[in-house]
Amino acid sequence: LTGVWAYGETPDWFVVLVNIIGFYLISGTFGYAAKLLDRLRTTSQDLTQTNEELAAAHQDLEALYALTASLHSAVDVEAVQEMVLTAVTTDFGCERAVIGLVDPQENVITGWLGRVQNGPAGGTKLLTHQAKLPLTPSGGLAAESVLAGRICQATEEHCTPDNWLNTHFGMSGCLIVPLRWGLQPVGVMMVDLAEGDGEETRRRSLEVIAQQTAVTLGMMMTRQRRARETAVQEERARIAMDIHDSVSQSLFGIVFTLDGAIKMLPEKPEAALPALQQALQTAEAVRREIRRTIHDIWPEEMTAEAFAADLRHYATDVLQANNLRIRFDIRGDFGALSARARRSLYRISQEALTNIVYYAAASQASVCVDVANGRAILSIRDNGRGFEPEVALAQEHGREHFGLRGMQERTRSLGGTCDIFSQPGAGTSIIIDIPANMTLE
């Protein structure tokens, strides 16, 4: 325009307008294209980063799924610790990880198991330690994390006050994740993330691992505690049955003999002497039986002959069944019976003979053991007065009655059956069927 006006010419305003608009359009187009390219570049970088995060998250999810599936096959607490530590150090890139377990009885954290990476070759080693950290603030950051139920990030200080743990596991400035099953603390996991692996997603993955681990450990510890409690109750019941089957019956015989001796003393003191000697022998047998019960001593090498002889001695000397003829018949491979099976058959036979002597008024009885095809069948019969089994079992109630019901409970605990056949005036037959070989001694 300046040039045109300088020569005194009138400009073509349409051409001028077109040139101006073209100039701005061209410059604007190129400027927008540059901005668009910059945005596309930024978006591409964001998508690449998001894709990498998604790939890492997918990998973490696959590792979490594999870990969860493997935890269901763990056989004990230590196996759970090893599985979790392997996953944390291998699949989630942690250089080292440690798991400690809460002992509610002592209120401490103990049973430490750690996994440490060694060098660029990826070699690892497991370390164990039985340090006991008090589950109080004096137990350091690990105990505080468990008590508070929250994740703690240590800075440069040690995670525990135990020098051995700090030295061998190198746990300083680590991430501390409590293991809690509901409101119940079950342990603590401490991990040392490798450089560049401290993202929020990785931390969330570790939280999920801690939750799965806490559930598995909590359920396993609960089952173990209940199993121990059940075993204690069963052992108490077994001891009570043993005492009833042997000691209490023998004491009854001693009382009966002494009562008779006392009545004979004023007029026939010489006649009372044999009865007192018999009571002394019975008392000695009771002493041995009590010692055997306390220490649970039972010779595995007991033979069929010794089995029958001991029962005959029990009937004649302890129960004083002088007018009862007892026939013993041992068939099959008696040596194939486990110690527990022999002890159980012996106790059941004792109880059955006691019932025959004191309640059946029988003149004949038989005890037969037949071992064949992995089973042991005990048959005890008498020609006594008989009874109604349903009525007798219904009358046996309370903690102090371990007769017929005790036989059934003992047999049931062995995985066997106990059948009682009787009716008034027709005698009684008791059939016991149990496994011959039992591994739980």
Side-chain angles (χ1 to χ4, degrees):
L1 290 175
T2 305
V4 171
W5 279 329
Y7 290 100
E9 297 180 1
T10 303
D12 187 344
W13 293 106
F14 178 76
V15 175
V16 171
L17 181 61
V18 170
N19 289 331
I20 293 174
I21 292 175
F23 173 78
Y24 279 105
L25 286 176
I26 292 173
S27 61
T29 301
F30 280 104
Y32 177 76
K35 291 181 179 180
L36 183 60
L37 288 174
D38 185 62
R39 289 182 180 178
L40 287 175
R41 188 180 299 107
T42 303
T43 303
S44 176
Q45 293 174 352
D46 292 342
L47 289 175
T48 301
Q49 182 179 356
T50 302
N51 185 57
E52 292 176 354
E53 292 177 354
L54 288 175
H58 179 71
Q59 184 178 359
D60 288 354
L61 287 175
E62 288 184 339
L64 285 172
Y65 177 79
L67 175 61
T68 303
S70 63
L71 288 177
H72 290 295
S73 63
V75 296
D76 54 30
V77 171
E78 186 172 339
V80 173
Q81 289 177 281
E82 290 187 11
M83 290 178 181
V84 174
L85 292 172
T86 300
V88 169
T89 56
T90 303
D91 299 327
F92 293 90
C94 299
E95 293 183 354
R96 55 179 57 85
V98 184
I99 295 179
L101 305 176
V102 172
D103 185 346
Q105 301 297 327
E106 299 186 26
N107 197 38
V108 297
I109 306 176
T110 186
W112 298 93
L113 186 63
R115 188 177 179 91
V116 181
Q117 297 272 8
N118 283 336
T124 59
K125 63 178 179 179
L126 282 172
L127 298 174
T128 60
H129 189 41
Q130 295 301 320
K132 294 183 179 181
L133 298 184
L135 201 55
T136 61
S138 62
L141 291 177
E144 293 179 5
S145 175
V146 174
L147 292 173
R150 58 181 175 82
I151 297 178
C152 295
Q153 177 64 61
T155 54
E156 295 300 326
E157 69 270 22
H158 293 303
C159 301
T160 72
D162 187 87
N163 292 330
W164 196 97
L165 288 175
N166 297 330
T167 302
H168 290 78
F169 290 124
M171 301 308 293
S172 61
C174 60
L175 183 68
I176 305 174
V177 186
L179 305 179
R180 296 177 69 90
W181 186 38
L183 298 178
Q184 176 185 354
V186 297
V188 63
M189 180 173 65
M190 299 184 291
V191 297
D192 187 5
L193 296 176
E195 184 179 356
D197 284 342
E199 299 91 344
E200 186 65 24
T201 55
R202 187 54 51 87
R203 176 167 172 162
R204 288 197 298 268
S205 297
L206 291 174
E207 292 181 21
V208 175
I209 292 177
Q211 293 172 359
Q212 293 289 340
T213 305
V215 171
T216 303
L217 289 175
M219 295 179 65
M220 187 170 292
M221 290 177 177
T222 300
R223 288 196 299 266
Q224 291 177 348
R225 185 180 70 253
R226 290 177 179 174
R228 287 193 297 268
E229 293 174 353
T230 301
V232 170
Q233 294 298 329
E234 291 178 351
E235 185 66 9
R236 288 176 177 173
R238 185 191 68 79
I239 293 174
M241 290 181 188
D242 285 350
I243 293 176
H244 173 268
D245 293 346
S246 57
V247 177
S248 64
Q249 303 297 345
S250 300
L251 291 176
F252 178 81
I254 293 175
V255 171
F256 182 79
T257 302
L258 291 178
D259 181 66
I262 291 174
K263 292 178 180 179
M264 289 187 293
L265 277 176
E267 299 179 358
K268 300 178 180 179
E270 66 283 353
L273 182 59
L276 292 175
Q277 292 175 339
Q278 179 66 35
L280 179 62
Q281 294 176 359
T282 304
E284 176 61 22
V286 171
R287 185 191 69 81
R288 291 194 301 267
E289 188 64 33
I290 291 176
R291 182 178 179 182
R292 175 185 293 177
T293 301
I294 292 175
H295 297 283
D296 198 23
I297 298 175
W298 191 265
E300 295 188 13
E301 64 275 8
M302 171 177 272
T303 62
E305 292 76 14
F307 181 87
D310 282 359
L311 285 175
R312 188 180 299 278
H313 168 78
Y314 175 78
T316 56
D317 296 346
V318 177
L319 301 179
Q320 298 183 8
N322 299 320
N323 297 324
L324 177 65
R325 288 196 307 158
I326 305 176
R327 180 177 64 88
F328 293 93
D329 187 8
I330 311 296
R331 305 172 184 172
D333 186 8
F334 190 83
L337 292 175
S338 65
R340 186 184 181 192
R342 299 179 200 183
R343 180 176 64 231
S344 300
L345 294 179
Y346 183 85
R347 295 302 188 199
I348 293 173
S349 301
Q350 276 188 321
E351 177 60 29
L353 289 175
T354 300
N355 292 338
I356 292 173
V357 172
Y358 289 148
Y359 308 116
S363 60
Q364 296 181 8
S366 64
V367 177
C368 177
V369 178
D370 190 359
V371 183
N373 300 322
R375 308 292 298 183
I377 299 177
L378 171 65
S379 305
I380 305 169
R381 296 181 172 86
D382 68 74
N383 63 348
R385 59 169 61 101
F387 58 92
E388 293 287 350
E390 294 80 5
V391 176
L393 289 171
Q395 292 175 347
E396 286 195 355
H397 61 277
R399 296 172 58 91
E400 298 180 357
H401 297 83
F402 292 97
L404 297 175
R405 190 177 300 279
M407 292 184 193
Q408 291 184 330
E409 291 178 356
R410 186 190 292 273
T411 306
R412 192 179 302 115
S413 69
L414 302 172
T417 59
C418 174
D419 296 314
I420 303 173
F421 305 97
S422 183
Q423 60 182 6
T428 302
S429 295
I430 299 176
I431 310 298
I432 306 294
D433 185 351
I434 64 173
N437 188 13
M438 303 176 187
T439 58
L440 297 177
E441 300 296 342

